[in-house]
Amino acid sequence: MNAGTWLLSRRGVAPDRAQEPADEAIGGRFASWTGPDTVLGP
């Protein structure tokens, strides 16, 4: 469950119905939380 799904479900939307709109809102922008692929700095 992502944050969008959680928020919608807390507002009364069934979790199975909240998944698709939450995924569309995020749009893949948060696919990786591990950091950049390249090392930044000197």
Side-chain angles (χ1 to χ4, degrees):
M1 176 183 289
N2 63 41
T5 304
W6 176 83
L7 178 63
L8 290 172
S9 66
R10 294 290 296 164
R11 302 298 255 165
V13 179
D16 59 328
R17 295 196 65 207
Q19 186 67 49
E20 186 176 344
D23 289 344
E24 287 179 19
I26 292 171
R29 289 178 285 231
F30 300 103
S32 173
W33 288 86
T34 61
D37 291 335
T38 57
V39 177
L40 304 175

